[in-house]
């Protein structure tokens, strides 16, 4: 069921939601959170589709905020709110409210969104593109327990990691980090099976791929070893090699779907590492609403611990002699899975150092 409202208010939108629920025979609210999407007209369709698919796992009220401040001085002075209410089969398993804010109202989106939040339920804000430099200080970000950005959608994906590091606040996360979950899980499981000290690592991926840089930072932060970042043709992340006294542990994925894991003294095996859709990334992030301490350590403390980058593109930690045991890396790896990043290809460079990528300089 869809209801279009022109030049409306938040109270009328709430009344339309109640009317729509009664019309389809679902007077009660069975949603667990409110997902606020801050987007534009160009990205609204894809973002709403991904959120609707994710709501099948996490029934939620989806509030899409589309700002239209206007181009002329006359348009910027006006203030009008148009809304579209979707309930039932048109909105997955929850409710969807699409808000189009015209003129001056676009600068006060939080005053419109606040009355539409589910009472006593968590709030998550997602910026598919054009995320603010400090999400926690954004007026809409202040309403949320979790704030989701996507470095891969930025104009300069890698340097945006430095912005995320400088502005990190508990509750922040990035889909570039979510995409490397299966890689971290698989590498941690491999180190669980092979209890050997890792002496160095190599991460291969597309140029200016934020997920490749985050994986290199994670390895440098958790294992305290030099990490070399190599540029490949992709797609996304293509390979990780960990050097040990017994031989190399290699996780190689050349086609974006199936990877091969090679370990010393064991037969090679194939593992599924497919590139997942945005809906699956959002669904994974909605499974946890507490701060992600491993992400914090990687994006913020990991950047501080990197002392320098050699001419060959090797990242060296401050104290490589205090390397963590492989078991610790395994203990910090999450359960669940993700895909490699879809960063936009940029002009190829010989190498992209992880420190340079993370600092944004």
């Amino acid at each position: 069921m869809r209801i279009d409202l022109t030049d409306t208010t938040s109270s009328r939108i709430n009344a339309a939601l109640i009317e729509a629920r009664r019309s389809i025979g679902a007077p009660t609210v069975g949603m667990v959170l409110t997902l606020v999407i801050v987007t534009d007209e160009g990205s609204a369709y894809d973002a709403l589709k991904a959120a609707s698919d994710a709501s099948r796992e996490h029934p939620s009220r989806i509030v899409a905020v589309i700002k239209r401040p206007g181009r002329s001085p006359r348009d910027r002075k006006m203030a009008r709110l148009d809304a579209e209410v979707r309930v039932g089969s048109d909105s997955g398993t929850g409710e969807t409210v699409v808000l189009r804010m015209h003129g001056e109202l676009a600068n006060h989106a939080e005053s419109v969104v606040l009355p539409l939040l589910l009472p006593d339920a968590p709030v998550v804000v997602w910026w598919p593109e054009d995320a603010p430099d400090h999400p926690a200080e954004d007026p809409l970000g202040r309403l949320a327990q979790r704030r989701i950005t996507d470095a891969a959608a930025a104009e300069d994906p890698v340097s945006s990691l430095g912005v995320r590091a400088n502005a990190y606040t508990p509750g922040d996360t990035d889909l570039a980090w979510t995409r490397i979950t299966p890689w971290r899980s698989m590498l941690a499981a491999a180190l669980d099976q092979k209890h050997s000290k890792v002496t160095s690592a190599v991460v291969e991926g597309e140029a200016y791929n934020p997920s490749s840089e985050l994986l290199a930072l994670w390895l440098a932060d958790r294992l305290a070893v030099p990490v070399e970042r190599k540029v490949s043709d992709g797609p996304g992340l293509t390979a990780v090699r960990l050097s040990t006294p017994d031989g190399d542990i290699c996780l190689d994925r050349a086609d974006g779907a199936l990877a091969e894991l090679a370990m010393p003294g064991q037969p090679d095996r194939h593992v599924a590492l497919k590139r997942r859709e945005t809906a699956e990334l959002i669904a994974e992030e909605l499974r946890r609403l507490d701060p992600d301490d491993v992400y914090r350590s990687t994006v913020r403390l990991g950047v501080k611990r990197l002392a320098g980058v050699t001419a060959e593109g090797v990242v060296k930690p401050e104290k490589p002699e205090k390397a963590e045991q492989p078991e610790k890396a395994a203990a910090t790896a999450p359960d669940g899975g993700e895909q490699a990043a879809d960063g936009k290809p940029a002009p190829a460079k010989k190498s992209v150092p992880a420190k340079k990528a993370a600092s944004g300089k």
Side-chain angles (χ1 to χ4, degrees), residues 266-286:
Q266 298 185 21
D268 296 350
R269 69 193 77 171
H270 290 92
V271 295
L273 279 179
K274 75 180 185 74
R275 297 160 62 83
R276 298 203 293 175
E277 301 293 334
T278 304
E280 296 173 276
L281 303 178
I282 293 298
E284 179 175 328
E285 284 300 332
L286 296 181

Side-chain angles (χ1 to χ4, degrees), residues 8 31 46 100-101 118 145 156 168 175 181 221 235 239 250 262 284 306 317 336 358 360:
T8 187
M31 291 160 287
D46 291 336
R100 290 180 172 87
M101 303 179 186
L118 291 172
Q145 285 74 40
D156 188 347
Y168 177 82
L175 294 185
T181 305
D221 182 54
C250 180
E284 179 175 328
L306 299 178

Side-chain angles (χ1 to χ4, degrees), residues 33 35 50-51 53-58 124 146 148 173-185 274-290 292 295 333-340:
L33 59 88
L35 175 61
D53 292 343
S55 72
R56 302 184 189 281
E57 183 178 338
H58 308 278
V124 179
R146 286 297 295 257
I148 305 173
T173 191
D174 196 280
L175 294 185
W177 171 255
T178 314
R179 291 183 179 102
I180 64 173
T181 305
W183 290 82
R184 295 186 292 124
S185 300
K274 75 180 185 74
R275 297 160 62 83
R276 298 203 293 175
E277 301 293 334
T278 304
E280 296 173 276
L281 303 178
I282 293 298
E284 179 175 328
E285 284 300 332
L286 296 181
R287 290 182 198 132
R288 57 176 301 169
L289 298 176
D290 57 315
D292 190 339
Y295 171 70
D335 44 15
E338 267 324 313
Q339 68 182 51

Side-chain angles (χ1 to χ4, degrees), residues 43-71:
S43 305
Y45 176 81
D46 291 336
L48 283 170
K49 184 178 184 303
S52 179
D53 292 343
S55 72
R56 302 184 189 281
E57 183 178 338
H58 308 278
S60 57
R61 174 176 290 178
I62 302 169
V63 179
V65 177
I66 301 175
K67 299 180 181 181
R68 291 181 168 182
R71 297 181 179 180

Side-chain angles (χ1 to χ4, degrees), residues 3 50 52 112 120 149 153 157 164 192 214 274 279 294:
I3 301 176
S52 179
V112 179
D120 302 322
T149 57
R164 301 278 81 83
D192 249 350
L214 282 173
K274 75 180 185 74
V294 181

Side-chain angles (χ1 to χ4, degrees), residues 137-153:
E137 294 299 325
D138 183 83
L140 286 172
R142 292 194 190 102
L143 302 176
Q145 285 74 40
R146 286 297 295 257
R147 296 163 292 276
I148 305 173
T149 57
D150 191 356

